[in-house]
Amino acid sequence: MNRRSLALVVAVLAVVVVLCGAMVVLPLLMLGQARAEAAACDLPSLPDSPVPGAGSWGSTETTNAAVIVSVGRQRQVPPRGYVIALATAMQESTLRNLANANVPESLSLPHEGVGRDHDSVGLFQQRPGWGSVRERMTPSYAASKFYEALLRVDGWQQMRLTDAAQAVQRSGLPEAYQKWEGDAEQLAAKVLGLANIDDIGGGAPMAPCGVDDLGPVPVGPGGWVQPIRAGIVSPFGPRGGRLHAGADLSSADIRGKPIRAAAAGVVEQVKCDWYTTCDRDGNTSSRGCGWYVDIRHPGNIVTRYCHMIQRPEVAIGQQVTAGAVIGFVGSSGGSSGPHLHFEVHLNVPPGPFHANSANAVDPVSFMRAQGAPLGPST
Ligand SMILES: [Zn+2]
């Protein structure tokens, strides 16, 4: 970071510290940040309040749809997942939380219709292996279990909708989900207040929280997106007698902001790079990336994200989509204030620990070439 922006960050922090009292307040700050983030990611209506009907769907069905989409967001499922979940519930229950005439307990729980298929209940007609009767008839639980299973299906985002749904449901009518695709796309867009679900990548890997959250960032042909919208406060290049191997991105309110995978890939490293804990702010008296993540992308490209506020949200070996939240901005490790230190490495031999300053390139020119330039706006 340069001196001026460092001074700004220090000033902002000083005010915050004076107002609230340092470390005690950090969880509160993060809560506030989480709220701000939630506002940007929020559905137009709370899942537990009735949502007006949309298209041919009544308020009951649309409210259930909002719950399904909301749970998907909370779980950071790519938007394609909302569409698959909605199409599945449309086929299984026409989006009504169904009791079952064969399951007496289900009739005593709140329900919106009665089915009689085996011992299946709820929006997704889940059988006993998925949870208790009460759990399966709780829409948020049922949706959560559906997504959990969907995310375990290899390559689900590239499948036909009905194949992905069937991999989860193992229904007797494997083709039956496909006919709901258009309806599901429209209803997903409707409950999100979007004109078109493709705006947030109803099929393509893009930002999980949509255009309002990440902003209309350019997505290059290879699917690259900005890891964060913030200004460059210290560029790639020689600094203090050695190579500053990345670009520092920051703004006055950057602490706690989500950091996103710049492209699809596999998490190669998740580590605290500091001589002591990374769960608090570091300093500049020694080097270190703090909490950081390396992601390996096709073509032997590795991106690195440093100084996160807490243990990253991803694990080694995890597949991530472009725009998936991998952690939150902090100042852990050798850092002068909250910022994202972002690195790009090319021609990195397979295996961890091969991304180093010898194969680091300027992230600014690299990201510009991918059609996703770094910076506070587009
Ligand atoms: Zn840096």
Side-chain angles (χ1 to χ4, degrees):
M1 314 183 82
N2 66 33
R3 212 167 274 272
R4 201 189 170 122
S5 52
L6 174 59
L8 178 63
V9 168
V10 167
V12 168
L13 282 180
V15 169
V16 167
V17 167
V18 166
L19 283 178
C20 317
M23 295 317 276
V24 183
V25 112
L26 190 56
L28 290 175
L29 277 177
M30 291 170 65
L31 184 65
Q33 191 58 56
R35 284 218 186 96
E37 176 64 13
C41 287
D42 249 354
L43 296 171
S45 314
L46 288 171
D48 59 359
S49 66
V51 178
S56 58
W57 301 100
S59 171
T60 300
E61 291 81 359
T62 308
T63 300
N64 288 330
V67 171
I68 291 170
V69 171
S70 173
V71 170
R73 277 201 159 181
Q74 285 160 15
R75 296 187 63 108
Q76 296 172 6
V77 176
R80 175 68 175 167
Y82 316 157
V83 174
I84 296 168
L86 289 181
T88 302
M90 285 170 174
Q91 170 63 23
E92 297 289 356
S93 65
T94 58
L95 282 171
R96 289 172 305 145
N97 189 19
L98 296 181
N100 189 320
N102 307 323
V103 183
E105 186 191 345
S106 69
L107 297 165
S108 66
L109 295 165
H111 57 275
E112 297 154 356
V114 180
R116 48 178 66 255
D117 181 20
H118 297 88
D119 44 14
S120 306
V121 297
L123 286 172
F124 293 90
Q125 291 290 286
Q126 290 161 336
R127 303 195 64 185
W130 293 81
S132 70
V133 175
R134 181 178 291 276
E135 285 173 336
R136 287 176 282 143
M137 287 182 66
T138 304
S140 57
Y141 174 93
S144 196
K145 295 302 277 188
F146 178 86
Y147 287 125
E148 199 178 297
L150 179 65
L151 295 179
R152 278 200 297 264
V153 176
D154 250 358
W156 64 271
Q157 282 182 269
Q158 282 74 46
M159 291 178 177
R160 289 172 69 230
L161 181 144
T162 205
D163 294 338
Q166 172 65 4
V168 174
Q169 298 294 103
R170 299 194 186 89
S171 137
L173 297 166
E175 200 49 41
Y177 305 102
Q178 192 62 34
K179 61 177 175 287
W180 297 104
E181 187 167 30
D183 276 331
E185 287 178 351
Q186 280 174 23
L187 194 55
K190 187 80 185 174
V191 298
L192 288 165
L194 298 169
N196 191 321
I197 194 67
D198 286 337
D199 291 350
I200 57 169
M206 284 177 66
C209 279
V211 284
D212 50 2
D213 184 39
L214 200 52
V217 293
V219 178
W224 288 78
V225 300
Q226 290 177 316
I228 198 162
R229 284 163 73 96
I232 293 147
V233 295
S234 185
F236 173 92
R239 191 177 78 177
R242 60 188 175 85
L243 178 69
H244 180 231
D248 290 345
L249 297 150
S250 191
S251 61
D253 58 348
I254 199 83
R255 184 189 283 274
K257 287 266 168 73
I259 299 166
R260 298 172 184 282
V266 177
V267 175
E268 188 164 84
Q269 192 60 262
V270 174
K271 202 167 178 282
C272 168
D273 178 35
W274 190 236
Y275 64 88
T276 173
T277 176
C278 288
D279 288 330
R280 57 175 174 76
D281 286 4
N283 55 60
T284 49
S285 65
S286 65
R287 299 168 59 179
C289 222
W291 278 124
Y292 79 96
V293 169
D294 283 353
I295 299 175
R296 180 173 289 268
H297 311 282
N300 288 326
I301 301 170
V302 171
T303 52
R304 175 170 292 164
Y305 313 77
C306 297
H307 310 305
M308 293 183 186
I309 196 164
Q310 61 191 21
R311 179 177 285 281
E313 303 295 302
V314 290
I316 292 171
Q318 187 177 331
Q319 298 248 4
V320 291
T321 56
V325 175
I326 58 170
F328 299 93
V329 174
S331 189
S332 59
S335 169
S336 54
H339 72 287
L340 169 65
H341 171 99
F342 175 59
E343 296 183 7
V344 176
H345 300 261
L346 302 183
N347 304 314
V348 185
F353 301 113
H354 292 308
N356 53 45
S357 41
N359 50 34
V361 297
D362 185 353
V364 171
S365 47
F366 176 84
M367 291 299 286
R368 194 186 300 125
Q370 308 312 312
L374 298 175
S377 58
T378 55

mmCIF file with all atom_site columns, all heavy atoms in Angstrom, residues 169-183:
data_model
loop_
_atom_site.group_PDB
_atom_site.id
_atom_site.type_symbol
_atom_site.label_atom_id
_atom_site.label_alt_id
_atom_site.label_comp_id
_atom_site.label_asym_id
_atom_site.label_entity_id
_atom_site.label_seq_id
_atom_site.pdbx_PDB_ins_code
_atom_site.Cartn_x
_atom_site.Cartn_y
_atom_site.Cartn_z
_atom_site.occupancy
_atom_site.B_iso_or_equiv
_atom_site.pdbx_formal_charge
_atom_site.auth_seq_id
_atom_site.auth_comp_id
_atom_site.auth_asym_id
_atom_site.auth_atom_id
_atom_site.pdbx_PDB_model_num
ATOM 1   N N   . GLN A 1 169 ? -32.219 -37.312 -6.832  1.00 0.00 ? 169 GLN A N   1
ATOM 2   C CA  . GLN A 1 169 ? -33.530 -37.845 -6.442  1.00 0.00 ? 169 GLN A CA  1
ATOM 3   C C   . GLN A 1 169 ? -33.697 -39.343 -6.703  1.00 0.00 ? 169 GLN A C   1
ATOM 4   O O   . GLN A 1 169 ? -34.512 -39.997 -6.065  1.00 0.00 ? 169 GLN A O   1
ATOM 5   C CB  . GLN A 1 169 ? -34.643 -37.085 -7.177  1.00 0.00 ? 169 GLN A CB  1
ATOM 6   C CG  . GLN A 1 169 ? -34.716 -35.599 -6.864  1.00 0.00 ? 169 GLN A CG  1
ATOM 7   C CD  . GLN A 1 169 ? -35.107 -35.312 -5.432  1.00 0.00 ? 169 GLN A CD  1
ATOM 8   O OE1 . GLN A 1 169 ? -34.260 -34.979 -4.620  1.00 0.00 ? 169 GLN A OE1 1
ATOM 9   N NE2 . GLN A 1 169 ? -36.380 -35.445 -5.105  1.00 0.00 ? 169 GLN A NE2 1
ATOM 10  N N   . ARG A 1 170 ? -33.004 -39.859 -7.693  1.00 0.00 ? 170 ARG A N   1
ATOM 11  C CA  . ARG A 1 170 ? -33.157 -41.261 -8.114  1.00 0.00 ? 170 ARG A CA  1
ATOM 12  C C   . ARG A 1 170 ? -34.636 -41.628 -8.241  1.00 0.00 ? 170 ARG A C   1
ATOM 13  O O   . ARG A 1 170 ? -35.136 -42.559 -7.635  1.00 0.00 ? 170 ARG A O   1
ATOM 14  C CB  . ARG A 1 170 ? -32.463 -42.198 -7.122  1.00 0.00 ? 170 ARG A CB  1
ATOM 15  C CG  . ARG A 1 170 ? -30.973 -41.927 -7.033  1.00 0.00 ? 170 ARG A CG  1
ATOM 16  C CD  . ARG A 1 170 ? -30.219 -43.036 -6.335  1.00 0.00 ? 170 ARG A CD  1
ATOM 17  N NE  . ARG A 1 170 ? -28.837 -42.691 -6.145  1.00 0.00 ? 170 ARG A NE  1
ATOM 18  C CZ  . ARG A 1 170 ? -28.355 -42.045 -5.080  1.00 0.00 ? 170 ARG A CZ  1
ATOM 19  N NH1 . ARG A 1 170 ? -29.157 -41.694 -4.092  1.00 0.00 ? 170 ARG A NH1 1
ATOM 20  N NH2 . ARG A 1 170 ? -27.074 -41.760 -4.987  1.00 0.00 ? 170 ARG A NH2 1
ATOM 21  N N   . SER A 1 171 ? -35.309 -40.843 -9.074  1.00 0.00 ? 171 SER A N   1
ATOM 22  C CA  . SER A 1 171 ? -36.748 -41.009 -9.257  1.00 0.00 ? 171 SER A CA  1
ATOM 23  C C   . SER A 1 171 ? -37.049 -42.116 -10.263 1.00 0.00 ? 171 SER A C   1
ATOM 24  O O   . SER A 1 171 ? -36.183 -42.505 -11.045 1.00 0.00 ? 171 SER A O   1
ATOM 25  C CB  . SER A 1 171 ? -37.320 -39.668 -9.730  1.00 0.00 ? 171 SER A CB  1
ATOM 26  O OG  . SER A 1 171 ? -38.245 -39.852 -10.755 1.00 0.00 ? 171 SER A OG  1
ATOM 27  N N   . GLY A 1 172 ? -38.281 -42.585 -10.230 1.00 0.00 ? 172 GLY A N   1
ATOM 28  C CA  . GLY A 1 172 ? -38.710 -43.573 -11.209 1.00 0.00 ? 172 GLY A CA  1
ATOM 29  C C   . GLY A 1 172 ? -38.908 -42.960 -12.588 1.00 0.00 ? 172 GLY A C   1
ATOM 30  O O   . GLY A 1 172 ? -39.013 -43.677 -13.585 1.00 0.00 ? 172 GLY A O   1
ATOM 31  N N   . LEU A 1 173 ? -38.959 -41.646 -12.666 1.00 0.00 ? 173 LEU A N   1
ATOM 32  C CA  . LEU A 1 173 ? -39.190 -40.947 -13.930 1.00 0.00 ? 173 LEU A CA  1
ATOM 33  C C   . LEU A 1 173 ? -38.054 -39.955 -14.185 1.00 0.00 ? 173 LEU A C   1
ATOM 34  O O   . LEU A 1 173 ? -38.216 -38.754 -14.000 1.00 0.00 ? 173 LEU A O   1
ATOM 35  C CB  . LEU A 1 173 ? -40.523 -40.186 -13.890 1.00 0.00 ? 173 LEU A CB  1
ATOM 36  C CG  . LEU A 1 173 ? -41.791 -41.025 -13.721 1.00 0.00 ? 173 LEU A CG  1
ATOM 37  C CD1 . LEU A 1 173 ? -42.980 -40.143 -13.348 1.00 0.00 ? 173 LEU A CD1 1
ATOM 38  C CD2 . LEU A 1 173 ? -42.075 -41.801 -15.013 1.00 0.00 ? 173 LEU A CD2 1
ATOM 39  N N   . PRO A 1 174 ? -36.885 -40.466 -14.586 1.00 0.00 ? 174 PRO A N   1
ATOM 40  C CA  . PRO A 1 174 ? -35.681 -39.630 -14.631 1.00 0.00 ? 174 PRO A CA  1
ATOM 41  C C   . PRO A 1 174 ? -35.777 -38.422 -15.582 1.00 0.00 ? 174 PRO A C   1
ATOM 42  O O   . PRO A 1 174 ? -35.037 -37.461 -15.409 1.00 0.00 ? 174 PRO A O   1
ATOM 43  C CB  . PRO A 1 174 ? -34.583 -40.595 -15.096 1.00 0.00 ? 174 PRO A CB  1
ATOM 44  C CG  . PRO A 1 174 ? -35.296 -41.752 -15.693 1.00 0.00 ? 174 PRO A CG  1
ATOM 45  C CD  . PRO A 1 174 ? -36.609 -41.846 -14.991 1.00 0.00 ? 174 PRO A CD  1
ATOM 46  N N   . GLU A 1 175 ? -36.667 -38.483 -16.548 1.00 0.00 ? 175 GLU A N   1
ATOM 47  C CA  . GLU A 1 175 ? -36.741 -37.407 -17.534 1.00 0.00 ? 175 GLU A CA  1
ATOM 48  C C   . GLU A 1 175 ? -37.692 -36.295 -17.085 1.00 0.00 ? 175 GLU A C   1
ATOM 49  O O   . GLU A 1 175 ? -37.769 -35.231 -17.681 1.00 0.00 ? 175 GLU A O   1
ATOM 50  C CB  . GLU A 1 175 ? -37.181 -38.017 -18.879 1.00 0.00 ? 175 GLU A CB  1
ATOM 51  C CG  . GLU A 1 175 ? -36.885 -37.215 -20.129 1.00 0.00 ? 175 GLU A CG  1
ATOM 52  C CD  . GLU A 1 175 ? -35.457 -36.682 -20.260 1.00 0.00 ? 175 GLU A CD  1
ATOM 53  O OE1 . GLU A 1 175 ? -34.498 -37.404 -19.934 1.00 0.00 ? 175 GLU A OE1 1
ATOM 54  O OE2 . GLU A 1 175 ? -35.318 -35.526 -20.685 1.00 0.00 ? 175 GLU A OE2 1
ATOM 55  N N   . ALA A 1 176 ? -38.431 -36.565 -15.996 1.00 0.00 ? 176 ALA A N   1
ATOM 56  C CA  . ALA A 1 176 ? -39.578 -35.719 -15.655 1.00 0.00 ? 176 ALA A CA  1
ATOM 57  C C   . ALA A 1 176 ? -39.218 -34.298 -15.209 1.00 0.00 ? 176 ALA A C   1
ATOM 58  O O   . ALA A 1 176 ? -40.046 -33.396 -15.273 1.00 0.00 ? 176 ALA A O   1
ATOM 59  C CB  . ALA A 1 176 ? -40.395 -36.397 -14.548 1.00 0.00 ? 176 ALA A CB  1
ATOM 60  N N   . TYR A 1 177 ? -37.979 -34.097 -14.769 1.00 0.00 ? 177 TYR A N   1
ATOM 61  C CA  . TYR A 1 177 ? -37.622 -32.766 -14.251 1.00 0.00 ? 177 TYR A CA  1
ATOM 62  C C   . TYR A 1 177 ? -37.388 -31.759 -15.373 1.00 0.00 ? 177 TYR A C   1
ATOM 63  O O   . TYR A 1 177 ? -37.541 -30.557 -15.194 1.00 0.00 ? 177 TYR A O   1
ATOM 64  C CB  . TYR A 1 177 ? -36.368 -32.846 -13.366 1.00 0.00 ? 177 TYR A CB  1
ATOM 65  C CG  . TYR A 1 177 ? -36.505 -33.849 -12.245 1.00 0.00 ? 177 TYR A CG  1
ATOM 66  C CD1 . TYR A 1 177 ? -35.906 -35.107 -12.320 1.00 0.00 ? 177 TYR A CD1 1
ATOM 67  C CD2 . TYR A 1 177 ? -37.261 -33.554 -11.112 1.00 0.00 ? 177 TYR A CD2 1
ATOM 68  C CE1 . TYR A 1 177 ? -36.048 -36.034 -11.295 1.00 0.00 ? 177 TYR A CE1 1
ATOM 69  C CE2 . TYR A 1 177 ? -37.417 -34.473 -10.087 1.00 0.00 ? 177 TYR A CE2 1
ATOM 70  C CZ  . TYR A 1 177 ? -36.801 -35.711 -10.186 1.00 0.00 ? 177 TYR A CZ  1
ATOM 71  O OH  . TYR A 1 177 ? -36.948 -36.630 -9.176  1.00 0.00 ? 177 TYR A OH  1
ATOM 72  N N   . GLN A 1 178 ? -36.993 -32.273 -16.541 1.00 0.00 ? 178 GLN A N   1
ATOM 73  C CA  . GLN A 1 178 ? -36.534 -31.394 -17.627 1.00 0.00 ? 178 GLN A CA  1
ATOM 74  C C   . GLN A 1 178 ? -37.595 -30.372 -18.045 1.00 0.00 ? 178 GLN A C   1
ATOM 75  O O   . GLN A 1 178 ? -37.281 -29.227 -18.325 1.00 0.00 ? 178 GLN A O   1
ATOM 76  C CB  . GLN A 1 178 ? -36.114 -32.245 -18.840 1.00 0.00 ? 178 GLN A CB  1
ATOM 77  C CG  . GLN A 1 178 ? -35.348 -31.474 -19.907 1.00 0.00 ? 178 GLN A CG  1
ATOM 78  C CD  . GLN A 1 178 ? -34.018 -30.909 -19.385 1.00 0.00 ? 178 GLN A CD  1
ATOM 79  O OE1 . GLN A 1 178 ? -33.354 -31.508 -18.551 1.00 0.00 ? 178 GLN A OE1 1
ATOM 80  N NE2 . GLN A 1 178 ? -33.665 -29.719 -19.853 1.00 0.00 ? 178 GLN A NE2 1
ATOM 81  N N   . LYS A 1 179 ? -38.853 -30.806 -18.049 1.00 0.00 ? 179 LYS A N   1
ATOM 82  C CA  . LYS A 1 179 ? -39.909 -29.926 -18.564 1.00 0.00 ? 179 LYS A CA  1
ATOM 83  C C   . LYS A 1 179 ? -40.105 -28.674 -17.704 1.00 0.00 ? 179 LYS A C   1
ATOM 84  O O   . LYS A 1 179 ? -40.732 -27.717 -18.128 1.00 0.00 ? 179 LYS A O   1
ATOM 85  C CB  . LYS A 1 179 ? -41.229 -30.681 -18.674 1.00 0.00 ? 179 LYS A CB  1
ATOM 86  C CG  . LYS A 1 179 ? -41.770 -31.220 -17.354 1.00 0.00 ? 179 LYS A CG  1
ATOM 87  C CD  . LYS A 1 179 ? -43.130 -31.896 -17.590 1.00 0.00 ? 179 LYS A CD  1
ATOM 88  C CE  . LYS A 1 179 ? -43.672 -32.567 -16.335 1.00 0.00 ? 179 LYS A CE  1
ATOM 89  N NZ  . LYS A 1 179 ? -42.934 -33.815 -15.985 1.00 0.00 ? 179 LYS A NZ  1
ATOM 90  N N   . TRP A 1 180 ? -39.557 -28.662 -16.504 1.00 0.00 ? 180 TRP A N   1
ATOM 91  C CA  . TRP A 1 180 ? -39.728 -27.512 -15.604 1.00 0.00 ? 180 TRP A CA  1
ATOM 92  C C   . TRP A 1 180 ? -38.618 -26.475 -15.741 1.00 0.00 ? 180 TRP A C   1
ATOM 93  O O   . TRP A 1 180 ? -38.632 -25.466 -15.043 1.00 0.00 ? 180 TRP A O   1
ATOM 94  C CB  . TRP A 1 180 ? -39.774 -27.993 -14.145 1.00 0.00 ? 180 TRP A CB  1
ATOM 95  C CG  . TRP A 1 180 ? -40.928 -28.895 -13.843 1.00 0.00 ? 180 TRP A CG  1
ATOM 96  C CD1 . TRP A 1 180 ? -40.893 -30.246 -13.694 1.00 0.00 ? 180 TRP A CD1 1
ATOM 97  C CD2 . TRP A 1 180 ? -42.299 -28.509 -13.658 1.00 0.00 ? 180 TRP A CD2 1
ATOM 98  N NE1 . TRP A 1 180 ? -42.153 -30.736 -13.427 1.00 0.00 ? 180 TRP A NE1 1
ATOM 99  C CE2 . TRP A 1 180 ? -43.035 -29.675 -13.398 1.00 0.00 ? 180 TRP A CE2 1
ATOM 100 C CE3 . TRP A 1 180 ? -42.973 -27.278 -13.695 1.00 0.00 ? 180 TRP A CE3 1
ATOM 101 C CZ2 . TRP A 1 180 ? -44.413 -29.671 -13.165 1.00 0.00 ? 180 TRP A CZ2 1
ATOM 102 C CZ3 . TRP A 1 180 ? -44.344 -27.261 -13.465 1.00 0.00 ? 180 TRP A CZ3 1
ATOM 103 C CH2 . TRP A 1 180 ? -45.046 -28.453 -13.213 1.00 0.00 ? 180 TRP A CH2 1
ATOM 104 N N   . GLU A 1 181 ? -37.646 -26.732 -16.603 1.00 0.00 ? 181 GLU A N   1
ATOM 105 C CA  . GLU A 1 181 ? -36.464 -25.864 -16.624 1.00 0.00 ? 181 GLU A CA  1
ATOM 106 C C   . GLU A 1 181 ? -36.823 -24.392 -16.852 1.00 0.00 ? 181 GLU A C   1
ATOM 107 O O   . GLU A 1 181 ? -36.368 -23.506 -16.125 1.00 0.00 ? 181 GLU A O   1
ATOM 108 C CB  . GLU A 1 181 ? -35.452 -26.328 -17.675 1.00 0.00 ? 181 GLU A CB  1
ATOM 109 C CG  . GLU A 1 181 ? -34.138 -25.544 -17.605 1.00 0.00 ? 181 GLU A CG  1
ATOM 110 C CD  . GLU A 1 181 ? -33.008 -26.190 -18.418 1.00 0.00 ? 181 GLU A CD  1
ATOM 111 O OE1 . GLU A 1 181 ? -33.310 -26.856 -19.430 1.00 0.00 ? 181 GLU A OE1 1
ATOM 112 O OE2 . GLU A 1 181 ? -31.835 -26.015 -18.034 1.00 0.00 ? 181 GLU A OE2 1
ATOM 113 N N   . GLY A 1 182 ? -37.640 -24.132 -17.864 1.00 0.00 ? 182 GLY A N   1
ATOM 114 C CA  . GLY A 1 182 ? -38.007 -22.745 -18.171 1.00 0.00 ? 182 GLY A CA  1
ATOM 115 C C   . GLY A 1 182 ? -38.748 -22.085 -17.015 1.00 0.00 ? 182 GLY A C   1
ATOM 116 O O   . GLY A 1 182 ? -38.434 -20.958 -16.611 1.00 0.00 ? 182 GLY A O   1
ATOM 117 N N   . ASP A 1 183 ? -39.723 -22.803 -16.443 1.00 0.00 ? 183 ASP A N   1
ATOM 118 C CA  . ASP A 1 183 ? -40.475 -22.292 -15.288 1.00 0.00 ? 183 ASP A CA  1
ATOM 119 C C   . ASP A 1 183 ? -39.540 -22.002 -14.117 1.00 0.00 ? 183 ASP A C   1
ATOM 120 O O   . ASP A 1 183 ? -39.684 -20.981 -13.435 1.00 0.00 ? 183 ASP A O   1
ATOM 121 C CB  . ASP A 1 183 ? -41.498 -23.344 -14.812 1.00 0.00 ? 183 ASP A CB  1
ATOM 122 C CG  . ASP A 1 183 ? -42.784 -23.280 -15.621 1.00 0.00 ? 183 ASP A CG  1
ATOM 123 O OD1 . ASP A 1 183 ? -43.112 -22.182 -16.110 1.00 0.00 ? 183 ASP A OD1 1
ATOM 124 O OD2 . ASP A 1 183 ? -43.444 -24.330 -15.769 1.00 0.00 ? 183 ASP A OD2 1
#
